[in-house]
Amino acid sequence: MNFIPTRPLEDIAREYVEAFCEVYDAEKYLDRTYRHFLMLGAPTANIPARVPSWIDLRALLTVVWRQGVKRSTRWKFWHHLFSILKRNPAVWDHYLTVCAHNEHFLEYRQIVRDEIEAQLAEFLADETQHAQQEAVPVVEEKQVQAV
């Protein structure tokens, strides 16, 4: 670390993981994305229509399956999508793209949690070992002086 924290490192790490998981919570992410896309205006660039690629279709099917069928947020997903189609139809495809980004964030959220918890456990083990090593020489010095 490049600074000495005034609070326990365990608390800081756990709060960071908590905040990161809270930001990328599936339901909260959907709500935030929905509110944002309701505020957006229609795109100003005139991009010609194109036939979607297999990759685009696969991504769309993945988003619809995971967020529209599999997860507990499915009702919210469909409500928000139909509301976007009704209230701001010019951005529906961009909305689905941002929803697809959440697939990455949900996986990344678990990776961050696992890695930080592993690093924290390693740090605490090193701190404990270091504290034990510092305590042992002090005891030995006192024993040497007593003899």
Side-chain angles (χ1 to χ4, degrees):
M1 291 183 73
N2 60 359
F3 67 96
I4 299 173
T6 57
R7 297 176 47 226
L9 189 61
E10 308 88 69
D11 293 347
I12 295 169
R14 287 194 180 96
E15 287 173 9
Y16 176 80
V17 169
E18 236 176 72
F20 194 86
C21 289
E22 190 76 14
V23 166
Y24 294 113
D25 175 70
E27 188 170 345
K28 291 178 182 174
Y29 185 87
L30 274 175
D31 287 340
R32 209 169 39 249
T33 302
Y34 172 68
R35 285 190 314 270
H36 173 79
F37 275 87
L38 285 179
M39 290 187 275
L40 282 179
T44 56
N46 290 328
I47 300 172
R50 62 179 177 87
V51 176
S53 70
W54 171 244
I55 294 171
D56 294 337
L57 290 175
R58 188 168 162 236
L60 174 65
L61 291 174
T62 300
V63 169
V64 168
W65 170 251
R66 289 183 184 170
Q67 295 186 24
V69 176
K70 188 177 175 184
R71 290 206 184 102
S72 62
T73 57
R74 60 186 159 272
W75 298 112
K76 189 168 283 212
F77 171 79
W78 290 114
H79 168 269
H80 291 354
L81 178 60
F82 288 129
S83 180
I84 290 287
L85 286 168
K86 181 180 175 186
R87 297 169 69 184
N88 196 359
V91 298
W92 74 270
D93 54 338
H94 299 291
Y95 174 75
L96 281 177
T97 301
V98 174
C99 286
H101 292 159
N102 195 34
E103 294 303 314
H104 164 74
F105 294 136
L106 290 174
E107 290 176 29
Y108 190 62
R109 188 172 86 149
Q110 189 59 45
I111 291 169
V112 166
R113 177 186 302 274
D114 294 343
E115 286 185 6
I116 289 179
E117 287 177 354
Q119 290 173 0
L120 182 60
E122 182 181 336
F123 174 78
L124 293 174
D126 288 347
E127 286 291 308
T128 304
Q129 184 180 15
H130 183 68
Q132 289 174 350
Q133 287 175 351
E134 284 183 358
V136 170
V138 171
V139 172
E140 289 176 3
E141 288 177 13
K142 289 182 181 178
Q143 289 176 351
V144 170
Q145 291 175 355
V147 174

